[in-house]
Amino acid sequence: MTSEDTVAAASLLREPESPRGSLDDLGGSLCSEEPASSSLNAFIWALSFTAGISGLLFGYDLLLRLMLSASTGVISATLVSIGSDLSRPMSTLDKSLITSSTSLFALIASPLAGVLADRLGRKSVVLVADVLFAVGALWQALTGSVAGMIIGRSIVGLAVGGASLVVPLYISELSPSAFRGMLVTLSILFITGGQVIAYLLGYALAQKADGWRWMVGLGAVPAFVQFALLLMLPETPRWLVKAGKEDVARNVLKKVYASKNNRNSERVLRNIQQEVKDEEATSKLVNPAVPSDDSLPSLTHFQHRMTELLFVGGNRRALMIACMLQGLQQLCGFNSIMYFSATIFSLLGFTSPILTSLSVALTNFACTLIALLIIDRVGRRAILLRSIPVMIFGLVLCSISYSFLGFPSQDVNILQDIESAVYSPWATFIVVSLVIFVCGYAIGVGNIAWQQSELFPLSVRSLGSGIATATNWGSNFVIGLTFLPMMEYLTPVWTFALYALICLGGWICAWRIYPETKGLGLEDMRGLLKDGWGVKESLERPRSPRLRRH
């Protein structure tokens, strides 16, 4: 952005006609932050915990991936049990189809869920995801064939794709701006907690008769619990205003900003109403011949919103930032390390690789808890730029440790002869390096990528978040497909070195284009990205009132 553009943007921020800027600039402003909230009430905690239950379901999904992607004797008794319980023994192709089908259908479901969240509401999509979770889990537990397992995993993939998009969106639109980062991170904390539970259940049930059926079937329990609790919670006020239900939205905001007077809730409601009007004006500029969205067929509505997302500069920049963060979150290799950690530690000669993997999962949980406590104080951008170097250090240390370990080389198949693996002191350095990497990941990009909803204006928030989430699942599919072949043909030394280079590229992109968003109301983001990336403006604006010390 040129100096002239900066001056022009600054002049817009000083417009006196409206606290959000005039309709002519169609961009909002940075000076209309949401009213400060000194504490969270029971209503906010209830909806955040209820929505966060989806995280336990994601952890359950990790459990089955871990169980099916273990290549050898890590939990071989469980794999033998599955093979004997199904119509035929599972081939390598069967395992690949079963494990990859979830990511593939999550990739398909994410953008579709974004469209449905606009048409049906955020809450409705989460309820549908719960039903799919329960059906998919029970289907797998009761199936007697490999094809049945693939179908069950695909159904779960649809649920995962939808919920992973809508749950952070639902929490974000219901949270006060001063606490939005913390509450969205709470849903990520549930995911990491679910991963810990996954390892514990995997260890406890691996040797049990029909233990794998219990593993997958238990995934239906949190789905039923969330469905029942969510029925008692409201839709988000942003969607309600957009749907013309302003009185219902006002009542929801009164619960969010519970106080003796209603000034806070009324102010937020006015901001939302103004944003809806601004976006209608923007829509007319982009698509002047298109009638109001209420009269549009679903396909036309999608095309209309996609045009706004791609051809309005601020929306396009928001999409690029969100997709960059979601791609980095997966392409850094974290989920492959989680999925295949038991296999990796078996290769290194650890006698109890699943328990060793548990140390990685516990680190992920503990550091996500740290992120929850600091994200709204330190800021998203600041945390990201400081945590990625920690990830790079862990990956480089891991690569160096593997080079001294001398196993495996390009001439050795890392998926064979695990039983003959011998423990080396350098294996301890590899565990430590992975813990360092996971710590940096969990504090930074592991949760910050899911703050994506706050980047988009209301009209394209669901669609933009859906495409960014699809980027996550697409990258997840690629990284899961390539990790073991890379370990085998590139060797672990160069595999982890490549991940370090990806992290370095991610740090450069984040430094260049990711603005600071802490304390900003959702209705203020349009002004930040309207004329450029908004990095300089975001760093120069006053701190959120909650963060000031009086």
Side-chain angles (χ1 to χ4, degrees):
M1 187 167 61
T2 65
S3 59
E4 291 81 8
D5 291 334
T6 304
V7 172
S11 67
L12 287 175
L13 299 184
R14 293 193 294 269
E15 285 287 334
E17 291 80 7
S18 167
R20 286 185 34 78
S22 67
L23 187 63
D24 295 332
D25 69 75
L26 298 176
S29 74
L30 300 184
C31 57
S32 61
E33 293 178 347
E34 283 185 17
S37 182
S38 59
S39 62
L40 294 172
N41 57 53
F43 173 76
I44 293 294
W45 283 117
L47 71 87
S48 298
F49 273 97
T50 299
I53 292 175
S54 290
L56 296 178
L57 298 169
F58 301 160
Y60 139 79
D61 180 64
L62 171 69
L63 180 149
L64 191 59
R65 287 181 180 227
L66 169 67
M67 181 175 65
L68 292 173
S69 61
S71 308
T72 56
V74 178
I75 41 178
S76 57
T78 303
L79 293 175
V80 170
S81 177
I82 294 177
S84 62
D85 287 347
L86 300 180
S87 56
R88 56 181 170 79
M90 289 194 300
S91 66
T92 301
L93 177 61
D94 292 333
K95 295 178 188 178
S96 298
L97 289 174
I98 290 171
T99 54
S100 63
S101 59
T102 305
S103 296
L104 179 61
F105 277 82
L107 169 64
I108 295 170
S110 297
L112 177 61
V115 175
L116 293 177
D118 261 345
R119 303 294 279 185
L120 305 177
R122 285 57 162 139
K123 174 182 170 180
S124 298
V125 175
V126 179
L127 290 172
V128 171
D130 283 331
V131 173
L132 291 173
F133 264 120
V135 170
L138 294 176
W139 186 295
Q140 293 171 86
L142 298 174
T143 190
S145 67
V146 172
M149 284 293 292
I150 295 173
I151 292 172
R153 295 299 296 155
S154 301
I155 294 172
V156 169
L158 294 173
V160 169
S164 62
L165 155 69
V166 179
V167 168
L169 173 61
Y170 180 78
I171 296 175
S172 182
E173 289 194 340
L174 274 162
S175 302
S177 61
F179 299 97
R180 186 174 62 242
M182 181 183 72
L183 294 176
V184 172
T185 303
L186 180 64
S187 68
I188 311 304
L189 187 69
F190 271 84
I191 295 176
T192 61
Q195 291 170 351
V196 172
I197 294 172
Y199 279 110
L200 293 175
L201 284 176
Y203 182 76
L205 298 177
Q207 306 298 329
K208 303 290 184 181
D210 289 331
W212 70 272
R213 294 190 184 275
W214 283 99
M215 290 179 191
V216 297
L218 286 172
V221 175
F224 286 131
V225 172
Q226 185 180 51
F227 185 92
L229 293 176
L230 200 58
L231 289 175
M232 299 182 286
L233 294 175
E235 183 54 80
T236 74
R238 271 83 182 178
W239 185 85
L240 289 169
V241 170
K242 191 177 176 184
K245 301 178 181 180
E246 295 186 357
D247 290 337
V248 181
R250 179 179 285 106
N251 291 332
V252 175
L253 288 169
K254 287 178 181 178
K255 295 179 181 179
V256 173
Y257 296 94
S259 61
K260 294 181 179 179
N261 60 68
N262 296 322
R263 287 182 299 177
N264 286 350
S265 58
E266 288 297 329
R267 179 178 171 185
V268 174
L269 181 61
R270 287 196 300 271
N271 286 345
I272 298 171
Q273 292 168 332
Q274 184 62 49
E275 184 183 25
V276 171
K277 292 179 181 178
D278 289 354
E279 290 176 354
E280 288 175 353
T282 302
S283 297
K284 290 298 182 183
L285 289 177
V286 176
N287 298 281
V290 177
S292 67
D293 282 349
D294 291 339
S295 62
L296 293 176
S298 295
L299 181 58
T300 306
H301 174 271
F302 172 78
Q303 294 172 333
H304 181 200
R305 289 307 182 207
M306 184 63 75
T307 300
E308 280 189 56
L309 182 63
L310 297 179
F311 292 98
V312 175
N315 297 346
R316 184 173 61 252
R317 281 183 281 274
L319 181 65
M320 292 174 66
I321 294 170
C323 289
M324 179 270 293
L325 293 175
Q326 291 286 16
L328 174 62
Q329 190 197 69
Q330 294 298 320
L331 295 177
C332 69
F334 170 80
N335 272 343
S336 285
I337 292 172
M338 292 296 291
Y339 296 155
F340 300 109
S341 58
T343 299
I344 294 171
F345 295 141
S346 286
L347 289 165
L348 297 174
F350 287 95
T351 57
S352 183
I354 291 185
L355 289 182
T356 309
S357 300
L358 182 60
S359 66
V360 177
L362 287 171
T363 300
N364 191 22
F365 178 83
C367 291
T368 303
L369 182 60
I370 293 173
L372 181 144
L373 298 174
I374 67 174
I375 189 169
D376 287 315
R377 296 182 178 275
V378 179
R380 285 76 151 149
R381 173 184 167 89
I383 291 175
L384 193 64
L385 294 182
R386 294 168 185 170
S387 60
I388 292 178
V390 176
M391 296 168 59
I392 295 173
F393 175 75
L395 290 169
V396 170
L397 179 61
C398 185
S399 178
I400 293 172
S401 298
Y402 263 114
S403 68
F404 281 100
L405 188 66
F407 174 82
S409 68
Q410 287 179 317
D411 298 325
V412 178
N413 186 340
I414 72 165
L415 303 183
Q416 295 176 352
D417 301 324
I418 285 184
E419 297 299 331
S420 63
V422 179
Y423 173 79
S424 165
W426 282 105
T428 302
F429 280 92
I430 292 175
V431 175
V432 171
S433 66
L434 291 180
V435 167
I436 293 172
F437 166 75
V438 169
C439 184
Y441 173 92
I443 291 176
V445 70
N447 68 83
I448 289 175
W450 294 110
Q451 310 291 333
Q452 60 187 13
S453 301
E454 66 186 12
L455 295 169
F456 297 97
L458 181 59
S459 61
V460 295
R461 187 171 294 146
S462 295
L463 180 60
S465 298
I467 293 174
T469 304
T471 302
N472 180 290
W473 286 108
S475 301
N476 179 293
F477 181 79
V478 170
I479 210 75
L481 200 64
T482 59
F483 177 72
L484 288 179
M486 285 171 60
M487 289 281 283
E488 182 174 350
Y489 296 110
L490 292 183
T491 76
V493 174
W494 290 107
T495 297
F496 288 102
L498 178 60
Y499 289 153
L501 286 175
I502 291 173
C503 289
L504 178 60
W507 186 92
I508 294 172
C509 290
W511 175 79
R512 178 67 182 85
I513 70 174
Y514 185 41
E516 185 54 74
T517 61
K518 70 171 183 180
L520 271 179
L522 291 178
E523 288 67 53
D524 301 311
M525 289 302 303
R526 297 175 74 234
L528 185 60
L529 297 173
K530 176 177 179 289
D531 295 310
W533 298 109
V535 173
K536 182 178 179 181
E537 293 84 350
S538 70
L539 297 176
E540 291 177 347
R541 67 183 177 84
R543 292 186 301 167
S544 168
R546 172 178 173 250
L547 305 178
R548 297 193 188 110
R549 300 300 182 191
H550 298 283

